[in-house]
Amino acid sequence: MNLLLLEEADFIAADRVVLRDRRLTHMQEVQRVAVGDRLRVGRIGGLLGEAEVLRLEPGEAELRVSLHSPPPAKLPLTLILAVPRPKMLRRVFQTVATMGVPRLILVNSYRVEKSFWQTPFLNPEAIRENLILGLEQARDSVLPEVLIEKRFKPFVEDRLPALAQDTLGLVGHPGDFPPCPRAVEQPVTLAIGPEGGWIPYEVDLLAGAGLQPVQLGARILRVETAVTALLARLF
């Protein structure tokens, strides 16, 4: 945990918080803090700063908080992702939050198994939990927006063109396509398919909405690897 994120409910005064959950456990067992120690903190959706440990007990800790710095800037990106396997989905949530993705849209695909949509990792509480873990890693305080679009064709035909307007629209897909561009300086709408890639029909629909296929080479990557590789190359 590189940043202790504070919830609104933690505040007992404008500059005081009391912690009793996993953050307290982390402070005690991993950071091994003592009264008087200072920690990096951030208010979810707000500023970053420092906190001094005023009181430390087995069941709770009280901190004095000073918030003064803005969080790091987000990437100029909308990421569209076919829902991956549940265990990978958890890691992807953390990765996109760590890397500064401001908006993630989860979509269906022909190669997405129906059972993937039943995972508890898609519950709002689980999504938020994993996004927070990613923010803590990156020292960020602003949660990405996560949208779910279960109907691929209506989303791509009816809503994606407006989302992709005035952006560089790209589809990550293995094949005989141009290489993914590097270090772009404009907003990007990027679609990444499931393991095995999009089917040709889906690639054609995405292209019709303004997203052009690009590739990273001959190797087939896991979804979480493709997300990291494409974002690192683009930005």
Side-chain angles (χ1 to χ4, degrees):
M1 184 186 296
N2 295 321
L3 182 73
L4 183 66
L5 281 173
L6 307 173
E7 305 271 4
E8 293 300 319
D10 298 327
F11 284 83
I12 59 172
D15 65 343
R16 296 283 197 284
V17 296
V18 171
L19 304 180
R20 301 184 180 92
D21 55 14
R22 69 170 183 89
R23 296 165 296 174
L24 173 62
T25 302
H26 186 88
M27 289 167 57
Q28 293 172 324
E29 297 182 1
V30 179
Q31 295 174 305
R32 299 185 182 278
V33 302
V35 172
D37 286 351
R38 299 186 69 82
L39 305 171
R40 295 186 184 93
V41 298
R43 190 171 192 155
I44 292 180
L47 298 175
L48 312 182
E50 299 82 33
E52 178 186 359
V53 180
L54 300 179
R55 178 168 56 86
L56 187 62
E57 300 174 3
E60 67 179 30
E62 183 176 348
L63 290 74
R64 178 166 51 227
V65 177
S66 173
L67 302 173
H68 47 72
S69 300
K74 298 290 191 186
L75 299 176
L77 171 71
T78 294
L79 177 60
I80 300 164
L81 184 68
V83 173
R85 290 181 289 110
K87 289 184 179 180
M88 187 176 296
L89 177 62
R90 177 177 179 270
R91 296 193 295 268
V92 167
F93 281 137
Q94 296 179 29
T95 296
V96 298
T98 296
M99 298 193 73
V101 175
R103 178 192 284 171
L104 171 65
I105 302 175
L106 296 172
V107 300
N108 203 6
S109 169
Y110 180 81
R111 292 192 172 114
V112 170
E113 295 184 22
K114 291 182 179 180
S115 62
F116 291 1
W117 289 102
Q118 308 306 315
T119 175
F121 291 132
L122 282 174
N123 293 336
E125 297 81 6
I127 293 174
R128 190 175 191 273
E129 177 184 353
N130 284 295
L131 294 177
I132 285 176
L133 291 174
L135 294 179
E136 290 173 344
Q137 173 66 36
R139 296 181 186 168
D140 190 0
S141 62
V142 179
L143 288 161
E145 178 185 18
V146 177
L147 305 173
I148 295 177
E149 295 280 357
K150 290 187 177 181
R151 300 177 64 205
F152 179 84
K153 187 172 185 286
F155 165 69
V156 172
E157 291 185 334
D158 300 338
R159 292 183 286 283
L160 182 55
L163 289 173
Q165 188 175 7
D166 299 324
T167 73
L168 176 62
L170 302 173
V171 180
H173 189 65
D176 187 18
F177 302 111
C180 178
R182 297 177 183 268
V184 301
E185 297 183 356
Q186 65 187 104
V188 173
T189 302
L190 172 65
I192 299 176
E195 298 206 4
W198 306 101
I199 63 172
Y201 170 77
E202 293 168 340
V203 174
D204 290 343
L205 275 184
L206 290 164
L211 277 62
Q212 300 306 309
V214 294
Q215 49 83 16
L216 284 172
R219 298 181 183 273
I220 304 300
L221 306 178
R222 288 191 175 97
V223 172
E224 60 183 323
T225 306
V227 169
T228 302
L230 284 163
L231 297 192
R233 183 169 175 126
L234 285 166
F235 299 107

